[in-house]
Amino acid sequence: MNENFTHKGEWFLPASKDNRIKGILTYDMEEGSSLELLGNFAHEEFLPNVKDEEIILGITSDSKLITLYRCYVTQAGGGTIVHGQESGMPSTVYSALYILEGVHIDTPEELKFNSIASEIHNLDEWIGISGFTPDEITQESLKKHEFNVHYKLPETLKFDISNDLKGEFRFTISRPGLPIFRKEVNLKQKVQVIIISYLDSPIDKLLEHLFSFQNFLILGLYRKTYPTNITLGGEKFVYDYGGKPRRIPIRLYFPVSIRSDVVKPKSAISMLFAYGHIHKEFPTIIKEWYRKYEILEPAFNLLFEQFYNNDRFTENTFLNLAQAAETFHARLNNHTKMPKSDYAQMKKAIYAGTPKEFHRWLKEQFNFGN
């Protein structure tokens, strides 16, 4: 997700897979996607009747399967007519909200998955667990020019999120090959947060779960962060070439805003809190975070907007934070002057005894009267 790309290929609609049009798919991590077709699905050269498409499928020149979801026409032009000459091929440009790489999915109803995995910028630094064992360097080893690298993959950390969700921190490492001649060793550990749902869920819902964790991470880092890649998985998306069936890794792409100052890794000493500070209580904390997120989402959104937008403290920043505090308080406390049922009965009685031309004014007063 943090790399731009361009794919040449053939593109078609699920209902007419033999009707293929050549085109180029471009993905920019900040601008999003653009699919430029040399023609249109209506096969009309002049005044083409093009429309938004829920799904467009594609096969790239390097045989990647692509599903574009929620595609909107951004440009459509007919062929230019020149007297006495052949007309050029018209082009159509779509913008897709989501790019799914690795599968063809024909209908929105089938776009449901039960897991989402993501590497997030600075997640490694926040967790702070490494499989590398520091080598003891002595005067003797320096004289002999001896250096040893010891590594053991850390175990997956599992935790419950809710009755319907569970999570994992899963570590991976790129293993070096076994060349005949070696002059360097390159080992890089990465960590993913994986959220697994007991029920198949649409993309938007899984992203909500992921972004809830991302905002928790922002609170710890006290800095904006972003997903560097996202992979979806589901029981029905598997391939079997003989032997044990394996899940198809489905890469998900959509626009992500990245500031240059965010790209730098952050050290644990400059974080509000790191995983190491709370690792014993983390299973309880993260479960409570997701539970409260459902109640306090409006307040959280106002708070985290300050991290996503900019670091400058402006008048709007103050107002948003004040409103966040007010919303937080209102969501957690019930300070009504009378029970809601009694208040409803009182309003009904007042409306009944008041001319209708005053009802609009009364409604505004009643909104905050209790």
Side-chain angles (χ1 to χ4, degrees), residues 330-343:
R331 291 269 172 153
L332 291 183
N333 297 278
N334 179 14
H335 292 301
T336 56
K337 296 176 182 177
M338 64 175 66
K340 290 182 179 180
S341 57
D342 292 350
Y343 190 65

Side-chain angles (χ1 to χ4, degrees), residues 45-46 77-82 85-90:
E45 293 188 15
F46 307 106
T80 301
I81 302 174
V82 179
Q85 296 183 20
E86 289 187 85
S87 299
M89 181 68 69

Side-chain angles (χ1 to χ4, degrees), residues 208 211-212 215 218 289 292-309 320-321 323-325 327-328 331:
E208 281 182 21
F211 293 150
S212 295
N215 284 343
I218 286 174
W289 172 263
K292 289 289 178 62
Y293 209 99
E294 294 184 11
I295 304 170
L296 299 171
E297 185 175 0
F300 285 176
N301 288 343
L302 289 165
L303 173 65
F304 290 114
E305 183 183 353
Q306 311 317 309
F307 291 94
Y308 285 112
N309 285 345
N320 283 344
L321 292 175
Q323 188 179 350
T327 306
F328 180 88
R331 291 269 172 153

Side-chain angles (χ1 to χ4, degrees), residues 41-96:
F41 294 120
H43 285 283
E44 296 176 6
E45 293 188 15
F46 307 106
L47 300 176
N49 181 24
V50 296
K51 59 185 178 65
D52 298 339
E53 300 290 349
E54 197 74 18
I55 290 176
I56 297 175
L57 305 178
I59 299 178
T60 68
S61 56
D62 54 354
S63 301
K64 290 178 180 176
L65 304 182
I66 304 289
T67 299
L68 304 178
Y69 180 42
R70 295 181 185 167
C71 306
Y72 304 95
V73 177
T74 58
Q75 183 179 330
T80 301
I81 302 174
V82 179
H83 184 71
Q85 296 183 20
E86 289 187 85
S87 299
M89 181 68 69
S91 64
T92 310
V93 181
Y94 289 90
S95 176

Side-chain angles (χ1 to χ4, degrees), residues 112-116 206 231-235 237 247-248 250:
K112 291 186 177 180
F113 311 88
N114 67 0
S115 71
I116 185 167
L206 288 174
T231 305
L232 301 172
E235 299 291 344
F237 302 107
R247 283 194 177 199
I248 298 172
I250 302 168

